[in-house]
Amino acid sequence: MLGRVVMMNLPERSDEELMSGVVRRESAALEILYDRYAASALGVALKILRERASAEDIVQETFWRVWKSAATFDSRRGAFPSWLFAMTRNLAIDELRRRAARQASDIDLDDAASEIPDCASDVMDAVWTQMQSERVREAIQQLSEPQRQVILLAYFQGLTRQEIAERLQEPAGTIHTRARLALQKLKTLLSGE
Amino acid sequence: MPRENHVEEWIPFYLLGGLDAYETEMVEKHLPRCAQCRAVLEDLRGGAQALPYAARPIPPSPRVKRDLFNRVHADLRANSAASQARAIATSANWFDWLRVPSRAVALASLILLVLSIAWALSLRAQVDQLHAQVNEQRVALTLLSKPSTVTKDFQATAVQPNARGQLIADLSDHRALLVVSGLKPLPQGRVYEAWLIKGKTPVGVGTFVVDANGVGQILINAPEPLRVYQIAALTEEPEGGSALPTTSILMSSQFN
């Protein structure tokens, strides 16, 4: 079933082709990319900021930068989603730091309620994104608690390795090892699907 | 720098965005000349790239897409108009150029287009302002609904004794809503500025004006939680605000 859904969802134009279109000022290309990734980008921003209005502003700003800075995207340095989500995360972390509101609250993978995608132009895209998300969250749940804690504090709360070591009162070397093992295990779990 | 001048230990945090600026620079300088560290990077990259998907995807409201593409289309129109304007500007002889009726019509059309874009941009600015106001109201409502929110009287001094005000704040938060009435409307170029005072240091937290009835409000977003400040105050300042208060305190409230 998974294979079938993914096959049905194969995009007609790759992200790279669409980005070439954006460089040529084709707003339709940007729209396809928006429909493909905006929900995931909002998920990232919302998880960091925990406030929908600000998170939606971040998503809009992210795609505006995609439009304005499309020529700086280089597919040899990484795939489009990595570039896009890095931009989303950095904008959201900057906003979080501006608020100076880092809180030591526990990280809850399910804190942002899932919603039915009522406005996605491509329902299959949305279904596929949801499935991908569930797969990654299941993989993260299989990490040990200390490993999970380290990578989520870094990625979603914007803490540096030193800040994480201080917060968890662990030596920096221990934090480094946990992060490395967590990323290796995640890769193994996800590629083993 | 990690041992043996390699950056392997930092690479997981490089991928997670968890290095400071110096460390990031070190890693980026090191990677092009070290195959060993590049191999570690490639080994871990897949795991890091999956992390954005750990957040549940949430479709943005239609407003986000609408606003984005309004900006994109305005940008396309502005660039198109600018390109046409540049092409016209390079014509050697404007007068000769305009003698051809079709060109004069084209120029008139271009001017109309530019004016339309300017009008659209002005509308866009108004929409942005309305969005900002709605957002401010949303934050204010959130503040009002919090059980830890308290209301403090904002008391007038002898300068404008008829002024009244209330400061609605959650002292553990950075935000507060200040609502005033009975203040004198100010001449152009002058504004009211709100201050939070920590020890002996005032911090400007925003300016506003009042309407003809002397009513105004401001959503304060303080750099630190409100509990670290002792006093909130209001002064009259030049437009744009001042680095430090330059006139007498008109209203104030003590936090503690």
Side-chain angles (χ1 to χ4, degrees):
Chain A
M1 182 62 190
L2 173 65
R4 188 172 163 220
V5 170
V6 173
M7 277 178 65
M8 287 171 69
N9 188 54
L10 281 176
E12 289 179 6
R13 293 175 73 186
S14 70
D15 293 343
E16 285 68 31
E17 286 168 340
L18 290 167
M19 278 305 288
S20 299
V22 176
V23 171
R24 293 191 302 269
R25 308 282 83 183
E26 290 173 14
S27 62
L30 181 71
E31 189 167 0
I32 296 172
L33 288 169
Y34 179 91
D35 290 338
R36 205 172 275 176
Y37 294 111
S40 294
L42 181 58
V44 171
L46 195 56
K47 195 158 186 61
I48 292 168
L49 293 171
R50 296 167 184 240
E51 191 215 325
R52 180 149 186 153
S54 302
E56 290 196 332
D57 289 345
I58 295 292
V59 171
Q60 190 191 140
E61 183 59 28
T62 302
F63 279 92
W64 175 245
R65 291 187 183 198
V66 170
W67 175 251
K68 296 298 280 183
S69 311
T72 65
F73 169 67
D74 181 355
S75 59
R76 290 168 301 183
R77 298 185 63 185
F80 172 76
S82 300
W83 185 66
L84 178 85
F85 295 140
M87 203 153 35
T88 308
R89 176 194 176 270
N90 291 342
L91 284 168
I93 294 291
D94 286 348
E95 172 63 20
L96 190 69
R97 286 178 179 153
R98 267 197 293 278
R99 292 181 189 175
R102 280 184 200 158
Q103 293 176 351
S105 53
D106 292 338
I107 300 164
D108 179 2
L109 285 173
D110 296 321
D111 55 357
S114 183
E115 295 180 15
I116 295 167
D118 56 359
C119 59
S121 65
D122 186 338
V123 173
M124 294 313 294
D125 265 347
V127 170
W128 185 79
T129 304
Q130 286 280 2
M131 292 177 70
Q132 199 173 15
S133 172
E134 280 169 24
R135 208 177 63 170
V136 172
R137 278 184 284 116
E138 279 169 15
I140 288 176
Q141 288 299 346
Q142 290 183 54
L143 301 177
S144 69
E145 174 60 27
Q147 288 173 358
R148 187 164 56 237
Q149 198 175 28
V150 167
I151 61 169
L152 295 182
L153 280 172
Y155 192 80
F156 287 110
Q157 292 203 19
L159 298 191
T160 65
R161 62 187 188 90
Q162 286 166 331
E163 288 169 328
I164 294 170
E166 283 165 22
R167 177 174 292 187
L168 301 181
Q169 297 182 316
E170 299 275 10
T174 304
I175 300 302
H176 295 161
T177 304
R178 285 179 189 169
R180 180 172 51 79
L181 292 176
L183 293 181
Q184 279 173 335
K185 189 168 178 184
L186 262 187
K187 183 184 169 188
T188 305
L189 288 167
L190 292 168
S191 61
E193 286 280 328
Chain B
M1 194 79 166
R3 64 177 176 270
E4 296 169 2
N5 291 328
H6 284 293
V7 294
E8 286 176 48
E9 290 179 1
W10 288 356
I11 285 174
F13 286 94
Y14 175 68
L15 290 165
L16 292 166
L19 295 181
D20 62 28
Y22 167 77
E23 293 164 348
T24 302
E25 190 185 344
M26 288 294 103
V27 171
E28 288 180 347
K29 278 183 179 168
H30 180 79
L31 282 173
R33 48 191 166 83
C34 179
Q36 183 181 330
C37 288
R38 279 202 305 279
V40 175
L41 180 83
E42 291 311 317
D43 181 44
L44 300 179
R45 193 193 291 277
Q49 283 177 343
L51 277 174
Y53 295 98
R56 282 184 190 277
I58 313 276
S61 59
R63 174 193 67 82
V64 180
K65 187 173 179 181
R66 188 181 61 234
D67 289 355
L68 170 69
F69 283 92
N70 281 343
R71 288 172 84 181
V72 166
H73 294 141
D75 185 51
L76 282 173
R77 286 192 297 270
N79 283 338
S80 167
S83 301
Q84 289 184 39
R86 272 196 301 276
I88 291 168
T90 54
S91 286
N93 189 321
W94 272 82
F95 186 73
D96 284 351
W97 195 86
L98 282 171
R99 276 185 171 173
V100 180
S102 62
R103 289 176 179 168
V105 170
L107 179 63
S109 303
L110 178 62
I111 291 168
L112 271 176
L113 178 65
V114 169
L115 289 173
S116 303
I117 289 168
W119 181 65
L121 289 175
S122 127
L123 279 181
R124 163 81 202 169
Q126 288 177 33
V127 170
D128 283 349
Q129 191 179 359
L130 283 172
H131 278 147
Q133 285 173 358
V134 168
N135 196 37
E136 194 169 286
Q137 297 295 335
R138 190 183 296 156
V139 173
L141 281 173
T142 306
L143 191 61
L144 287 168
S145 64
K146 289 170 77 173
S148 50
T149 295
V150 293
T151 304
K152 302 230 171 228
D153 279 338
F154 210 54
Q155 293 174 335
T157 62
V159 184
Q160 288 199 42
N162 294 328
R164 298 280 179 275
Q166 292 206 307
L167 187 72
I168 301 153
D170 171 2
L171 297 184
S172 64
D173 197 351
H174 293 240
R175 291 177 296 198
L177 180 66
L178 173 61
V179 185
V180 295
S181 62
L183 278 171
K184 290 177 188 166
L186 294 173
Q188 195 147 15
R190 304 289 293 176
V191 292
Y192 289 109
E193 182 161 11
W195 303 89
L196 292 173
I197 300 171
K198 179 183 175 185
K200 292 181 179 176
T201 307
V203 180
V205 285
T207 63
F208 65 100
V209 292
V210 296
D211 64 16
N213 298 317
V215 176
Q217 69 176 56
I218 180 173
L219 186 65
I220 292 169
N221 197 351
E224 294 181 81
L226 294 169
R227 61 171 175 270
V228 309
Y229 302 96
Q230 288 81 48
I231 296 170
L234 191 72
T235 62
E236 182 192 326
E237 301 296 336
E239 197 168 35
S242 302
L244 290 170
T246 60
T247 63
S248 304
I249 289 179
L250 304 173
M251 304 181 80
S252 68
S253 179
Q254 287 205 336
F255 281 142
N256 302 311

